[in-house]
Amino acid sequence: MAASTAVTAVSYGASRLPPSRTALAINSRRLSIFSPSKRLDLSNLRRRVNAPPPRRAVVRAARTESAGVLLGARAPNFELQEPLTGNLWKLEDFELYPSLLVMFICNHCPFVVHLKKDIVKLCNFYMKKGLAVVAISSNSVVTHPQDGPEFMAEDAKVFKYPFPYLYDESQEVAREFGAVCTPEFFLYKKDGRRPFELVYHGQFDDSRPSNNIPVTGRDLSLAIDLALSCQPIPSNQKPSVGCSIKWHPETES
């Protein structure tokens, strides 16, 4: 079919030129136009037609696992601004709740993007049952401006976050919590006036951007169910997996 098309194109061109200026040569090996500026090589055309399709680019993000925080640790104090509203939020704002979920997320990380809609669904469900939720972004805008506060506010609008999404510009809050990746989940529980204590520091579920496992939120939702019903949570917890927090270049360790 490619050869037929080429012959038609040659015929259109040749009809406008004197025979002395253009010759059409066809043999078993090559079809060519002999003219001052044009030459069609069918052998090259065949190679292009038979060439394999271009490979689809696959973006792979560096994987980091949550680790190093002991269960039973107290929730660190914080005071951070919410870019969407300008409000300041503190740990004490959640003191009346029996459980608090602190999530370290960001805008761009593929592991977070993979879960965003389901994080919203899970939080909407459990916030009605008495769970307090706050999300924090600690990524450096020096290296990742797409994670800056103006884009955080836009993200909160687009995905209709039911929880405050706070900006940790100094990254001190992330260091206090021991956060190292996004997403990373810290579930705290309190009894009466006692401080919040860490009872779950694990994954959302087994789903990852490239493993084709459906997103269910099974691991985190089970932990929340147990916390809200005042039942013990098993200490054998799979770590969360995600992109590393993007530390400021001058303080990167």
Side-chain angles (χ1 to χ4, degrees), residues 7-247:
V7 172
T8 303
V10 170
S11 300
Y12 287 149
S15 64
R16 297 193 181 99
L17 296 173
S20 60
R21 297 292 304 277
T22 303
L24 180 63
I26 303 177
N27 57 39
S28 58
R29 298 183 61 188
R30 177 173 294 179
L31 171 65
S32 303
I33 301 175
F34 296 99
S35 66
S37 61
K38 294 184 179 180
R39 184 181 181 94
L40 179 63
D41 188 343
L42 278 191
S43 61
N44 186 45
L45 179 61
R46 291 190 190 99
R47 284 195 294 270
R48 292 182 182 179
V49 171
N50 296 326
R55 296 181 180 179
R56 188 176 66 177
V58 177
V59 178
R60 303 185 187 279
R63 295 162 60 100
T64 301
E65 290 188 356
S66 60
V69 182
L70 295 177
L71 296 179
R74 293 184 178 184
N77 289 313
F78 61 84
E79 182 175 341
L80 296 173
Q81 188 173 51
E82 180 184 12
L84 179 62
T85 64
N87 294 336
L88 283 176
W89 290 83
K90 305 176 183 179
L91 178 64
E92 63 189 47
D93 293 325
F94 306 98
E95 283 296 321
L96 297 179
Y97 293 86
S99 293
L100 169 65
L101 175 63
V102 179
M103 306 180 293
F104 284 84
I105 63 173
C106 67
N107 298 342
H108 87 278
C109 171
F111 292 90
V112 176
V113 173
H114 179 64
L115 299 177
K116 276 183 185 178
K117 292 181 180 179
D118 292 275
I119 286 175
V120 170
K121 289 179 184 178
L122 180 144
C123 291
N124 273 323
F125 179 79
Y126 283 106
M127 288 173 72
K128 294 175 182 176
K129 294 180 175 290
L131 177 71
V133 181
V134 61
I136 299 172
S137 177
S138 302
N139 275 3
S140 173
V141 297
V142 175
T143 58
H144 290 74
Q146 66 269 45
D147 288 332
E150 66 273 25
F151 299 108
M152 290 174 60
E154 184 63 26
D155 223 43
K157 284 183 191 176
V158 169
F159 289 94
K160 299 181 180 179
Y161 286 168
F163 44 77
Y165 185 22
L166 312 182
Y167 179 42
D168 177 23
E169 182 176 10
S170 70
Q171 303 185 324
E172 287 303 317
V173 174
R175 295 185 187 279
E176 287 291 327
F177 274 84
V180 296
C181 66
T182 57
E184 189 163 355
F185 304 95
F186 296 81
L187 178 63
Y188 295 90
K189 176 184 171 184
K190 71 192 304 288
D191 294 318
R193 295 185 177 182
R194 294 186 62 185
F196 281 115
E197 294 183 353
L198 185 65
V199 293
Y200 182 78
H201 182 222
Q203 66 176 6
F204 193 76
D205 58 24
D206 288 323
S207 184
R208 305 288 182 263
S210 58
N211 67 5
N212 296 320
I213 296 176
V215 179
T216 63
R218 179 182 178 276
D219 295 59
L220 182 57
S221 62
L222 177 59
I224 295 172
D225 280 330
L226 293 173
L228 292 177
S229 60
C230 298
Q231 298 181 56
I233 298 173
S235 60
N236 184 20
Q237 303 168 6
K238 294 182 181 179
S240 185
V241 176
C243 305
S244 62
I245 288 179
K246 311 309 179 193
W247 305 106

